[in-house]
Amino acid sequence: MRRVFLPLVAVLSLVVWAGVWFILRAQPRADDRPLPTLLVLPSLTPTETPAPTLTATVAATSTMTLPPPPTETLLPTLLPTMSERVLEIAVVMPGVYVPPTLTPFPPGTIRLSAPPNPVEPLPDATDTAPPFFGWYRFESDYPTVSYAPPWTPRLSQFASRGQYHRTEGAYDTASFLFEGEGLRVRYVAAQNMGIFEIVVDGVVLDTIDAYADELRFPVTDTYSVGSGTHRLELRGIGRKNNASEGYVIGLDAIQVFRGDAHTLIVPPLLSTTTPTPEPQPAARIELVSAPPTLQPTGTPIPPRVLTAEVVIAYDENSNRTVDPAEGVAGISVRVVEINTNRVIASGFTDERGYVAFSIVSDTPTQIVVPYFGKTWSLQSGVMPVRPPTRCCSRPAISPA
C-alpha cells in the first residue's frame, strides 16, 4: 500500500507544478506588452488621446487568459483643410507681361467728379467737434483762422452770424488750415473794397474784385483742391477797381467739404496740349535743293514825246521880253541823253533866235547850248516859257 501511495503523490505533485509552470509561462511579461501608436494628426486644436492601460492579472487557476485585441490606428489626412483662403501666391516668369487690372471699389462707395453743391445754411464748425464730414462753415472768428496783421471785426446783420473781419491794408493776408476736397469763400463786397487772391498750397486759384455799389456778402465758386490737408490764404495784391474808393479786404466765412469713408471724388481727366518746343538756332544749314530763284525784271519805261523850244536873244531894253529885233541866229542847240551823253537831236537858231525840237525818247534827256555852257532837263510835255535874261555881252537864253 505504501509503495503505491508514494508514487501517486509524486505524480500529483508533478502535475500541479507543471500546471503552475504553464500558467506562469502563459502570462505576458512587461517587455512583451504592445506599445501604443503615436500619431501626429494635422488639427487646428491638438488633442491628447489617452493610451490604453493594460493591467496584468495573475490568476492562480488553470484557466487560460487571452491577450486584449489590438488598438485601432487612426490614419492622418493627406492635406489640411481650411474654411477660408487667407493667402494666395502667384508666380510670374521673367519676361512675361501681366496687364494690370482695376481694383474694384468697396461696396457702397459713392463716386463724384467734384464736390457737391452746398445747401445753405451750412452747419457751423464752432458748434461741432471734429472730425467734420460734408459741408461745414468756419466763421471769420474761428480759432484757427489767423490774420497778419490783425484784422478788425465788424458787425452786420447780413453777415454770417452777424460778424465779419476786414482790413484796410492793401497787402494784408488771412490764412486757414483745413482738411477736405472742396472749398468756397464768403467775402465782403462794397464800394471801398479792393482786389485779392485766393491761394491754396501756394497756387493762385482765383482773383476776386470785391468792388460793389452796395454792401454785399457774395460767395466764390466751388474749388476742388483734392483730398488731404491744405493751407488757404486770402492775399491782397495792392490793386483795386477804378471805381473803388479803397483797398479794403473782408472775410465773412470759409466753407469746406470733406467726404467720408464712402465718398470718393475722382476728378475727370483733363486733356492737355503738348507745348510746342521753342525754336533753337541751327548749327549748320545745307541747301540740298530748291526751286530756281526768280530774278526781278525791270518794267521798261514807255517812250514819251518831248517838245522843246529855245529862244536866244539880246535884251537891249531890259524889259525881260524877246522883241522882234533882239533874236540871235546861228547858235547851236542840242538834245542829249543824260545817261549816255548821246546827241539825239540838234539845231541852230534862226533870225528870231528861235529853235524847236520834238523827239520821242524813254530816257532822261536835257537841252545843251555849248556856246553858253547852259543845260536844261526835259520833262514830258512842253517846257514853260522863261523870260530872257541879260548878262554882259552874251545873249539871253530862254527855253520855251
Side-chain angles (χ1 to χ4, degrees):
M1 187 66 179
R2 186 174 180 184
R3 289 179 181 179
V4 177
F5 178 76
L6 290 176
L8 182 60
V9 172
V11 172
L12 293 175
S13 299
L14 291 175
V15 172
V16 170
W17 284 109
V20 172
W21 179 83
F22 181 78
I23 294 173
L24 293 177
R25 289 287 297 178
Q27 294 292 332
R29 295 179 299 177
D31 297 337
D32 297 335
R33 295 177 185 176
L35 296 177
T37 303
L38 299 179
L39 298 177
V40 179
L41 298 179
S43 177
L44 296 179
T45 305
T47 58
E48 296 181 358
T49 304
T53 304
L54 299 179
T55 304
T57 304
V58 180
T61 60
S62 60
T63 305
M64 183 183 294
T65 304
L66 298 176
T71 307
E72 294 183 1
T73 304
L74 298 178
L75 296 177
T77 58
L78 297 178
L79 295 175
T81 59
M82 302 183 67
S83 61
E84 182 178 355
R85 182 169 52 188
V86 296
L87 178 62
E88 182 179 355
I89 300 176
V91 179
V92 180
M93 301 299 294
V96 177
Y97 172 74
V98 178
T101 58
L102 297 177
T103 302
F105 294 104
T109 302
I110 301 175
R111 287 176 293 174
L112 302 175
S113 60
N117 294 327
V119 178
E120 301 282 356
L122 300 179
D124 191 354
T126 308
D127 303 333
T128 309
F132 306 103
F133 295 102
W135 280 102
Y136 266 84
R137 182 182 74 251
F138 297 87
E139 294 294 333
S140 60
D141 59 351
Y142 194 75
T144 58
V145 179
S146 59
Y147 301 97
W151 293 18
T152 305
R154 288 291 183 90
L155 300 178
S156 175
Q157 61 178 347
F158 303 105
S160 178
R161 297 193 66 172
Q163 179 180 272
Y164 67 93
H165 281 66
R166 68 189 294 273
T167 179
E168 295 183 358
Y171 298 95
D172 294 350
T173 59
S175 59
F176 174 63
L177 289 175
F178 68 95
E179 184 175 359
E181 295 87 9
L183 172 69
R184 295 203 320 175
V185 178
R186 181 182 175 94
Y187 61 96
V188 184
Q191 295 181 353
N192 58 345
M193 294 294 171
I195 300 176
F196 63 92
E197 293 178 340
I198 296 179
V199 184
V200 175
D201 299 334
V203 179
V204 179
L205 298 184
D206 202 352
T207 301
I208 304 299
D209 184 359
Y211 168 77
D213 53 357
E214 60 182 2
L215 181 62
R216 299 175 184 173
F217 294 89
V219 182
T220 64
D221 297 333
T222 301
Y223 309 112
S224 181
V225 296
S227 60
T229 303
H230 308 280
R231 178 182 178 86
L232 167 66
E233 288 185 356
L234 271 66
R235 186 167 58 193
I237 58 177
R239 293 167 49 196
K240 67 180 184 66
N241 192 294
N242 295 332
S244 178
E245 301 173 357
Y247 299 88
V248 181
I249 304 174
L251 173 62
D252 187 15
I254 302 172
Q255 301 175 359
V256 176
F257 172 80
R258 181 186 179 189
D260 54 10
H262 299 285
T263 303
L264 180 62
I265 297 179
V266 182
L269 298 178
L270 299 178
S271 59
T272 58
T273 58
T274 304
T276 304
E278 297 182 358
Q280 300 294 330
R284 184 173 63 90
I285 299 176
E286 181 180 357
L287 181 62
V288 178
S289 62
T293 303
L294 298 179
Q295 300 295 334
T297 57
T299 302
I301 301 176
R304 51 182 179 168
V305 178
L306 300 178
T307 301
E309 296 178 354
V310 180
V311 175
I312 302 176
Y314 283 105
D315 190 9
E316 294 180 352
N317 53 8
S318 299
N319 60 354
R320 303 188 66 82
T321 301
V322 178
D323 297 330
E326 295 179 348
V328 180
I331 303 297
S332 174
V333 181
R334 303 172 183 173
V335 179
V336 182
E337 291 181 351
I338 296 178
N339 298 333
T340 61
N341 202 29
R342 182 173 65 92
V343 178
I344 58 176
S346 63
F348 295 91
T349 58
D350 55 10
E351 65 277 3
R352 300 173 300 171
Y354 175 83
V355 62
F357 301 99
S358 180
I359 59 177
V360 178
S361 176
D362 55 356
T363 60
T365 56
Q366 61 182 358
I367 295 176
V368 180
V369 180
Y371 182 80
F372 297 104
K374 296 288 186 180
T375 60
W376 294 270
S377 297
L378 292 179
Q379 302 295 333
S380 59
V382 182
M383 296 185 59
V385 178
R386 294 179 53 190
T389 58
R390 181 182 182 87
C391 179
C392 303
S393 59
R394 291 186 177 183
I397 303 173
S398 176

